[in-house]
Amino acid sequence: MKRIICKDYNEVSRLGAFMFAQQIWSKPDSVLGFATGGTPVGMYRYLVDMYKDGMVDFSAVTTFNLDEYYPMSKSHKQSYDYFMWDNLFSHINVKRENVFLPNGGAADAQKACDEYEHKLTLHGGVDLQLLGIGNNGHIAFNEPCDELHVKTHVIELTEDTIEANARFFDSRDDVPRKALTMGLGSIMKARRIVMLITGKAKTPVVKQMFSGMITPQIPASLLQLHPDVTVVLDTEAAGEL
Ligand code: PGA
């Protein structure tokens, strides 16, 4: 895994946006993998600015998001669908029909996961995948556990994740207990991966991820097996490296 240490959140966001812009410049009909959470917000702002300045064109791009709460309607303000339109898609020229997220409103969760995985395959997989990392080492909603799933699946969120995400909801009780998430196999199939990590809270998990050991208790440690991962960190997150 390549690492790039930047001064702060702003520089991490700018570099992340530049990597996505470069991907689109080299392949205008790229399949991009996007993520939610606090970390990518700055990167999305940079991408919107670059679009407004005429530097990048999303008209031929297809996007797949990593995950969605379950059950969750698209119109809910804390849905990842809402987040993506609010932070990025509404401000750029991506075509609505080229945007894909797991369907948190589906009656049959497993069927929604299977359909999502199928769509991903039909589109030839992801060219450049954005990832964050949870304080507990999760990527997407692949939580620490004894066995990891390969494909898109339904997952029970851990108490750590519910706690970490409660800040986005009115109360902790409002955080959904389940999610639909791409599996480790779906993520590892991406041709290139860029992971953005910022802030002191992530320092311990960053150290574990780069430890040289692979364990399902730190799902992000599996990325050590991927041939093209760039981890962009700020100095706080990189602290103990
Ligand atoms: P964060 O979440 O960007 O809000 O820290 C990252 C994650 O949980 O993957």
Side-chain angles (χ1 to χ4, degrees):
M1 289 195 291
K2 211 190 306 169
R3 4 170 156 142
I4 302 177
I5 300 178
C6 298
K7 188 172 76 190
D8 55 20
Y9 178 78
N10 186 48
E11 296 231 321
V12 167
S13 303
R14 193 163 49 187
L15 181 55
F18 184 73
M19 290 173 79
F20 273 86
Q22 242 179 354
Q23 173 65 41
I24 299 167
W25 293 331
S26 65
K27 186 181 174 207
D29 61 345
S30 289
V31 178
L32 304 179
F34 283 135
T36 51
T39 311
V41 171
M43 184 193 112
Y44 293 150
R45 252 183 237 136
Y46 270 109
L47 281 177
V48 170
D49 287 348
M50 289 172 100
Y51 166 70
K52 287 187 176 156
D53 289 343
M55 290 169 68
V56 59
D57 175 12
F58 293 86
S59 61
V61 156
T62 298
T63 74
F64 279 88
N65 261 75
L66 288 169
D67 46 16
E68 179 60 282
Y69 290 114
Y70 187 83
M72 180 58 92
S73 79
K74 283 182 199 296
S75 57
H76 190 293
K77 283 204 164 173
Q78 293 309 331
S79 76
Y80 287 165
D81 201 286
Y82 190 98
F83 174 100
M84 288 309 298
W85 284 95
D86 194 35
N87 284 284
L88 183 64
F89 299 149
S90 299
H91 312 287
I92 59 175
N93 64 338
V94 67
K95 295 201 175 98
R96 186 169 279 270
E97 63 268 28
N98 290 344
V99 167
F100 299 98
L101 284 99
N103 182 6
D108 184 335
Q110 189 50 53
K111 189 160 166 246
C113 291
D114 295 344
E115 284 169 3
Y116 198 66
E117 192 70 32
H118 184 61
K119 267 183 221 155
L120 199 54
T121 308
L122 281 183
H123 281 83
V126 170
D127 290 305
L128 179 61
Q129 176 67 56
L130 175 67
L131 291 179
I133 187 171
N135 297 338
N136 63 1
H138 75 200
I139 45 177
F141 273 134
N142 293 280
E143 300 283 32
C145 59
D146 295 334
E147 289 171 329
L148 292 169
H149 288 254
V150 173
K151 293 186 175 175
T152 305
H153 59 286
V154 189
I155 193 148
E156 301 264 347
L157 301 183
T158 60
E159 287 304 315
D160 280 351
T161 298
I162 292 167
E163 193 63 48
N165 290 7
R167 68 191 197 271
F168 299 116
F169 290 81
D170 291 337
S171 82
R172 193 180 189 284
D173 289 344
D174 293 337
V175 184
R177 270 34 189 177
K178 289 186 183 176
L180 312 181
T181 181
M182 277 193 202
L184 262 303
S186 336
I187 293 170
M188 293 285 281
K189 268 196 276 186
R191 286 177 269 289
R192 288 200 303 140
I193 294 176
V194 55
M195 180 180 243
L196 306 186
I197 318 178
T198 60
K200 260 200 196 81
K202 302 279 169 74
T203 314
V205 81
V206 165
K207 196 176 172 191
Q208 285 175 300
M209 182 178 71
F210 281 105
S211 69
M213 302 297 284
I214 291 167
T215 163
Q217 295 302 330
I218 305 286
S221 65
L222 247 95
L223 294 175
Q224 294 173 104
L225 295 176
H226 192 283
D228 195 342
V229 180
T230 304
V231 184
V232 184
L233 313 105
D234 67 357
T235 46
E236 283 190 347
E240 293 179 25
L241 285 183

